[in-house]
Amino acid sequence: MGDFFANLSLGFGVALSLQNLGLAFLGCLVGTLIGVLPGVGPIATIAMLLPITFGLDPTGALIMLAGIYYGAQYGGSTTAILVNIPGEATSVVTALDGHEMAKQGRAGVALGIAAIGSFFAGTVATLVIAALGAPLTGLALVFGPTEYFSLMVMGLVFAVVLARGSILKAIAMILVGVLLSTVGTDLETGEERMTFGLPFLSDGIDFAVLAMGIFGIAEIMRNLDHTEHRDVVRQAIGRLLPNRDDFRQSYKPVVRGTILGAILGILPGNGAVLGPFASYTLEKKLAKDPRRFGRGAIEGVAGPESANNAGAQTSFIPLLTLGIPPNAVMALMVGAMTIHGIIPGPQVMTKNPNLFWGMIASMWVGNLMLLVINLPMVGMWVRLLKVPYRLMFPAILMFCAIGIYSINSLPTDVMFIGLFGFVGYVLIKLGFEPAPMLLGFVLGKLMEENLRRALIISRGSLETFVNHPISAGLLAVAAILLVIALLPSIRKGRDEVFVED
């Protein structure tokens, strides 16, 4: 327990420095902004902002990027409640009751309970990360290349099972991502692989180029497909603070949503998405009168909003302790860490304790900032909602082009984000989710590295993966999960979980 407080104290010392406070505030502000504006998600934003983190120290850069991610969960609720358009996938269920409350003149109360529930969940999730960080890192230190390879296989299987849409399409996207990760020069033999004789591919595909194209540019193209229609609620927002009766109805959903979100957030492939759906279903089942749901029940806002924020934060646990990104946003964080020369994994805690604990403490500080940013500034967010997308996208496009060119000063990088953007757009149109591809791309390199090491140690014997008990256990879990997910009855139930309305 002494170490726990000493570590948190170290973290707050780092997080409360003037520069890191400023970066956390900037991240939270940008996160709220992109959460509020429909059509610009945290994945696209983090991909677009990767180039500007080059000039920052690694701790500050990661604090800012983390702030964007959990800030977007806050901002998404504002759009869901006021416009009935979820700014974020995690706010889909908030729109059901939140917008009904807004139409009844209780938008302020809905926004207030969403912010308070999110703050509570964020605080609890920060403590969970701090408590689990040290023991999990200790466990990860006994992992060798064999165990790491099997762990990554299990992580990818989880990503397949929890991804939206067809399982076969998710598997295909992961395999494409792994294949793309092998482009470039082989570090051991010096041979060029799949470069087609093109010199700019000899160093491999740049992570920032792929991420910005697949998520940033493709997202802009997808948004231009839809006719813009925003039905901003016309009723008065009303008081922001819930009354005693609202609190009495909400405190249990907030606690249950926090627990559910924190647990589901740790699962690879999920992040913060599954928690709100599970919380809404649970609250509806526990309610004395389930017919109230969908007609302005405050529990339908309190539970899911707490769950998505708790899940957003606990999804950092696999990344910080094991070095395994559980979702696309965390894959971008891995990219940001490697850009700064930090190898994700258990060594982060021992070699960069300032970064590890500083980032954890900054999450609590960021949650406090979000409470201040969201409630008093709600009027400004409402006005921003009226800015048409046709005025925003040229600026976003220009920002992407300048950002990617500033990394290597290569015109081919600008052309490549256009190419990957078009590919990403076509994939979305065909029902392929690009997130598993980025996960496959990031984990592909790590898997190849660990596979080679494991085979060298075992003198080329594949039996090493089943002879090591931990590795065998992880592979068995992966195989069982995949078989269960492919069963027709389970596939049908899985699709229903992700139905949005």
Side-chain angles (χ1 to χ4, degrees):
M1 191 55 81
D3 285 346
F4 175 77
F5 287 111
N7 290 329
L8 274 186
S9 164
L10 168 70
F12 276 107
V14 175
L16 293 176
S17 74
L18 206 56
Q19 184 190 346
N20 290 338
L21 271 179
L23 288 168
F25 183 77
L26 184 65
C28 292
L29 196 65
V30 172
T32 306
L33 185 67
I34 54 124
V36 166
L37 293 171
V40 194
I43 302 178
T45 309
I46 293 175
M48 288 187 266
L49 290 179
L50 273 180
I52 67 163
T53 65
F54 277 44
L56 302 172
D57 77 285
T59 310
L62 289 169
I63 283 175
M64 188 184 78
L65 295 179
I68 292 173
Y69 181 42
Y70 56 77
Q73 313 305 322
Y74 269 73
S77 62
T78 307
T79 327
I81 291 166
L82 296 178
V83 201
N84 200 23
I85 299 174
E88 258 296 288
T90 53
S91 308
V92 168
V93 284
T94 306
L96 298 177
D97 284 283
H99 192 61
E100 283 301 315
M101 285 179 75
K103 286 202 284 192
Q104 294 162 14
R106 283 165 45 84
V109 175
L111 289 167
I113 202 68
I116 293 166
S118 297
F119 175 71
F120 174 80
T123 305
V124 172
T126 303
L127 292 174
V128 171
I129 299 172
L132 290 182
L136 274 177
T137 305
L139 178 70
L141 285 171
V142 302
F143 275 32
T146 314
E147 288 80 6
Y148 258 112
F149 176 78
S150 303
L151 181 67
M152 286 177 214
V153 171
M154 193 186 78
L156 287 180
V157 170
F158 259 111
V160 166
V161 173
L162 294 173
R164 290 184 180 203
S166 156
I167 286 183
L168 293 178
K169 285 181 177 175
I171 292 174
M173 292 309 290
I174 282 181
L175 291 178
V176 170
V178 173
L179 202 64
L180 287 177
S181 75
T182 60
V183 174
T185 308
D186 187 320
L187 288 177
E188 290 187 18
T189 64
E191 289 285 323
E192 288 196 353
R193 303 183 300 192
M194 292 191 289
T195 59
F196 306 104
L198 299 170
F200 52 82
L201 283 178
S202 58
D203 288 336
I205 296 171
D206 193 291
F207 174 80
V209 172
L210 180 71
M212 197 183 280
I214 289 288
F215 292 110
I217 306 293
E219 190 70 14
I220 292 169
M221 292 168 80
R222 195 176 67 86
N223 287 328
L224 290 174
D225 251 3
H226 304 293
T227 311
E228 201 174 7
H229 175 70
R230 295 181 193 173
D231 180 22
V232 180
V233 73
R234 297 182 192 282
Q235 282 84 354
I237 288 176
R239 62 186 165 81
L240 289 169
L241 270 184
N243 60 25
R244 187 182 290 183
D245 212 32
D246 295 326
F247 273 120
R248 188 182 54 75
Q249 286 179 297
S250 305
Y251 80 94
K252 283 182 183 172
V254 166
V255 173
R256 285 192 287 261
T258 302
I259 295 169
L260 260 179
I263 293 169
L264 292 173
I266 301 172
L267 295 182
N270 166 42
V273 177
L274 205 55
F277 287 90
S279 169
Y280 192 81
T281 310
L282 179 69
E283 292 310 323
K284 205 171 172 181
K285 280 195 189 301
L286 291 176
K288 285 181 185 165
D289 182 11
R291 287 172 301 174
R292 287 176 50 247
F293 281 77
R295 296 176 182 173
I298 196 167
E299 302 96 309
V301 177
E305 277 302 307
S306 309
N308 72 28
N309 212 51
Q313 289 194 213
T314 54
S315 62
F316 279 86
I317 290 177
L319 171 70
L320 289 175
T321 55
L322 304 172
I324 307 290
N327 55 45
V329 175
M330 294 303 118
L332 288 166
M333 299 295 277
V334 168
M337 286 170 108
T338 46
I339 281 169
H340 287 278
I342 296 167
I343 300 165
Q347 299 91 346
V348 175
M349 185 190 255
T350 47
K351 290 185 181 170
N352 301 85
N354 283 6
L355 184 145
F356 186 91
W357 293 106
M359 204 167 147
I360 289 173
S362 81
M363 290 182 191
W364 188 83
V365 175
N367 271 289
L368 195 61
M369 286 177 176
L370 284 166
L371 206 58
V372 178
I373 291 171
N374 274 265
L375 292 184
M377 292 169 71
V378 69
M380 193 184 87
W381 302 128
V382 173
R383 280 197 289 278
L384 267 176
L385 280 169
K386 294 172 183 167
V387 177
Y389 191 70
R390 67 173 188 280
L391 297 180
M392 289 195 300
F393 88 86
I396 298 173
L397 208 56
M398 190 178 71
F399 181 76
C400 284
I402 294 172
I404 204 68
Y405 184 76
S406 67
I407 299 178
N408 299 317
S409 304
L410 287 173
T412 47
D413 284 353
V414 182
M415 288 190 277
F416 261 106
I417 61 166
L419 174 69
F420 284 129
F422 179 70
V423 171
Y425 172 74
V426 172
L427 288 174
I428 294 168
K429 282 283 172 194
L430 295 174
F432 289 88
E433 202 185 343
M437 186 172 89
L438 193 69
L439 215 54
F441 182 76
V442 171
L443 286 181
K445 286 181 184 174
L446 298 169
M447 281 173 78
E448 184 187 356
E449 201 177 300
N450 284 291
L451 176 67
R452 281 184 162 178
R453 281 187 198 158
L455 289 177
I456 289 169
I457 293 169
S458 67
R459 296 180 185 273
S461 169
L462 283 172
E463 288 177 7
T464 183
F465 295 105
V466 286
N467 288 341
H468 286 68
I470 297 175
S471 166
L474 292 168
L475 288 178
V477 171
I480 293 167
L481 268 175
L482 201 57
V483 170
I484 292 174
L486 286 170
L487 290 175
S489 57
I490 302 288
R491 278 173 69 180
K492 194 180 168 197
R494 173 182 168 278
D495 291 343
E496 281 170 5
V497 169
F498 291 110
V499 171
E500 295 183 357
D501 51 12

